[in-house]
Amino acid sequence: MSTTNPANETAEMSAIVLEQAERLFRGEITKERLEAADGGAWPAELWAAIEENGLTLAMVPEAAGGVGLPAADALKLLRLSGYHTLPLPLAETMVGAALWAEASGEAVGGPLAIGPTAPGEQLLIAKSGSDWKLAGTLTRIPWAAQSAHALLHARDAAGAGYLVLLPQGSGRIEPRANIGKEARDTLMLDGVVVPAAAVRPAPAACREGMLAAGALVRTQQMVGAMERALDYALAYVMERKQFGRELAKFQAIQQQLAEVAGLYAISSAAADGAREAWGRPGFEMSVALAKARVGEAVNRLTDVCHQVHGAMGYTQELPLHFATRRLWAWREEFGNETHWQRRIGEWACANGGEALWRALAENRFE
Amino acid sequence: MEAFQFDVPALPADALEAERRVREFLARERAAGTYQPHLSSWNTHDAEFSRRAGRAGLVAVGFPKEYGGQGWSMLARYVIAREMLANGAPCFAHWIAERQSGPQILRHGSERARKLILPKICAGECTFGIGMSEPDSGSDLAAVRTRAVRQGDDWVINGSKIWTSNAHNAHYLIALVRTSEADGKNRHVGLTQFVIDMAKPGVKVRPIYNLAGGHEFNEVHFNDYVVPDDMRVGELGAGWDMVTGELAFERSGPDRFLSDYRLMVELIDRVGTKPDAYQAVEIGRLVSHLSALTRMGTSIAGMLTAGKSPQVEAALLKDVGNVFERELPEVARRIAPVQPAPDDAGARYSETLSHIVQHAPSYTLRGGTREILRGVIARALGLR
Ligand SMILES: Cc1cc2nc3c(=O)[nH]c(=O)nc-3n(C[C@H](O)[C@H](O)[C@H](O)COP(=O)(O)OP(=O)(O)OC[C@H]3O[C@@H](n4cnc5c(N)ncnc54)[C@H](O)[C@@H]3O)c2cc1C
């Protein structure tokens, strides 16, 4: 036992944080709480517990006041949060805090919204004396109304990218929701003035806006939710009997579930690729590969998980829908698979057929 | 559910050295035009190619030095295999020996068998076939009827194998045969594996032509074929455990998702550097599958290096890998239409597509069918 080895210490710390999170989520995310969240309630105590456990600052370096877990470990928290369908913006806050720390050297507390979340949407920014002025409307911003800050990507007329940290109450907000019943608000920001301290040049992970960072966290949540949906399906077919035996005994059921277990496995591998690419060259393409693969798998996986549940799975009685509705929402956010597939395809074609293999073998998608 | 985990290890020094060597070797082979990458694969037999690979120290690198290998990790072997596949290298003359027969003999063979056979495998000079399937025993492998009867220090084998790939070029087979009756409850007992020397009398090979007219697999008939007891692989009656171990090697490799990789290369080049949206989306989709499959393959090689036995992971990889292999020609023909013709000499894309379309049906049969693999996965999920 060499507990003095820094690598071991970090691994131990990651394990502890993950275990605490697992315990917290398992204990606190009940059906009642999820139903209340579906109705628009903000589970404030749960959020407080998440902050107390340091989860929101997991990816922020210690020097900037964070917990300083390696990103590849910290992002596992989001897989857990996806598994438990946490009805709170931990993913947005975690990655947003990491980006802001990188851009400004400082940690920011409280829940964070991030955006834009849709390809093609763009916030504009221009100098206005010693301040900055914003122009634009952003849609489908996660929990903008409940968040202490929104961390938004903006561009100036010359095309340079910035991160803008907006306090709650800036501009106008129209509350909306996605089909997971998660808040996805419209932010109207024309004419909003921001002090210079709240505007920083965008870090490398935001070279092309907020989509890659957002897609990274969604892929982690999605494989978590996929695993949950599969777990529900497996448990159900072992319990439910028809024709005198458990559904699990029918080969048609076995074959379908085995097929989607394969889809889950390959999606999980893809999400790992993105998780490990944070801060590395080729980050965007690794995220693209993951969001494309995971997003594509959602349809077949949720199809089978619902099918084996019969009519009961199509109700609010069973918790399956908490996972599947989120999957249907998340696959569209920060670019759906078509968006990312196209990016990948253009990249692959530009490099030519022979070049692809090196990128695959060396896991370097620059 | 057991959360299937595919952690990707960093490549150890031997794997990095293997990668450097195999790339150098393949660059030389391709520059010299020794084979046609767009028309060959690990399923293409070229004894001279395998010999050169052996001389370059690229075959069975994981075997111990005393048997002609280099004692390298499974990751080193994996890296060599995937580079060969990505380059369409014609590996079949050494593939089965290296992938599964050699490792079986190394683990479970007699010392005489090891000394006799393993150095030849490492030299790239030894071709093996797999004698599992029989006319009445396909997916239901425990139904094999070929028998071996003890006679002093020898066994006498009678019966037939079928679908035996490359038996017509093979120096040896490993055959699964009955050495005693199955008991009523457990059909897996009474099976044993033997190394069959194809040069000895009593074994006959007859070709079966595949749908494209190729001679790939065969019937193999045993007529009082005599095999010495020290050519037994594993304990008497342990054949079932032997084949399941062997199938983990057979299923886990890059040959379960890179069989038609050259079509991917040809497709991208056919589409060109300026794809339209539809082409870009579909190629991007395929690449997203491939990159995750590559991670899974590396991960499994890492598990094997660590001494684990990733049978379920191997079944998962073969299943999703085969889905990809089957889908690739279908996507190709939709986004880059051509009337594929085997005689389209010079039109590489068309030739490759023509070849792959006709061979793709075999991918989800050989090495265990899709349905059987999904049965293995379902068992791991606790459904059966
Ligand atoms: C190109 C090629 C090379 C091969 N090389 C070799 C070789 O070198 N050595 C060797 O021993 N064998 C070899 N095989 C044989 C291969 O292993 C068998 O084809 C395979 O195991 C299936 O057996 P079968 O063809 O008899 O099909 P069957 O077992 O008759 O199956 C036919 C269909 O029924 C399905 N089926 C069968 N049982 C079940 C079940 N319980 N539940 C649901 N579905 C079921 C199968 O999935 C399949 O779709 C090769 C096959 C091919 C195509």
Side-chain angles (χ1 to χ4, degrees), chain A residues 251 255, chain B residues 43 92 96 99 128-141 161-167 173-174 210 216-218 247 250-251 359 361-373 384:
Chain A
Q251 198 187 39
Q255 294 271 311
Chain B
N43 243 272
F92 213 36
I96 289 173
R99 179 183 70 188
F128 261 80
I130 306 165
M132 293 190 194
S133 306
E134 295 184 5
D136 292 325
S137 172
S139 298
D140 185 10
L141 191 53
K161 294 288 171 184
I162 196 169
W163 316 127
T164 323
S165 295
N166 223 11
L173 308 182
I174 291 184
N210 68 24
E216 191 179 347
F217 46 34
N218 303 276
L247 284 169
E250 182 168 350
R251 287 170 182 166
H359 289 78
S362 70
Y363 302 162
T364 39
L365 296 170
R366 62 186 188 191
T369 69
R370 173 165 55 212
E371 291 71 25
I372 293 304
L373 288 168
R384 48 189 292 250

Side-chain angles (χ1 to χ4, degrees), chain A residues 351-365:
Chain A
N351 292 329
E354 286 293 353
L356 177 62
W357 176 250
R358 281 265 171 139
L360 290 168
E362 290 168 16
N363 194 19
R364 281 171 38 173
F365 301 94

Side-chain angles (χ1 to χ4, degrees), chain A residues 227 230-231 234 237-238 248-249 254-255 257-259 261-262 264-266 268-270 272-273 276 289 292-293 296 338 341-342 344-346 348-350 352-354 356-358 360-363 365, chain B residues 1 3-6 23 30 82-83 86 258 261-262 264-265 268-269 271-273 275 277 280-281 283-285 287-296 316 320 371 374-375 377-378 381-384:
Chain A
E227 187 184 340
L230 251 174
D231 271 354
L234 292 169
V237 301
M238 290 188 221
K249 298 295 166 220
Q254 294 170 359
Q255 294 271 311
L257 287 170
E259 179 201 338
Y264 160 72
I266 190 173
S268 169
D272 285 347
E276 290 166 12
L289 291 162
R293 178 60 277 203
E296 187 195 337
T338 317
Q341 285 160 350
R342 184 167 175 181
I344 301 163
E346 283 167 355
C349 287
E354 286 293 353
L356 177 62
W357 176 250
R358 281 265 171 139
L360 290 168
E362 290 168 16
N363 194 19
F365 301 94
Chain B
M1 184 180 67
F4 305 114
Q5 201 51 49
F6 289 91
R23 283 181 175 168
R30 290 188 60 181
R82 72 181 187 184
E83 291 292 321
L258 290 176
Y261 183 76
R262 293 312 296 181
M264 192 75 201
V265 177
I268 290 172
D269 288 343
V271 164
T273 54
V281 163
I283 287 174
R285 190 165 73 81
V287 173
S288 79
H289 292 205
L290 259 177
S291 93
L293 289 165
T294 307
R295 289 184 65 87
M296 292 171 84
L316 281 163
V320 289
E371 291 71 25
R374 289 185 178 167
I377 298 165
L381 294 173
L383 298 175
R384 48 189 292 250

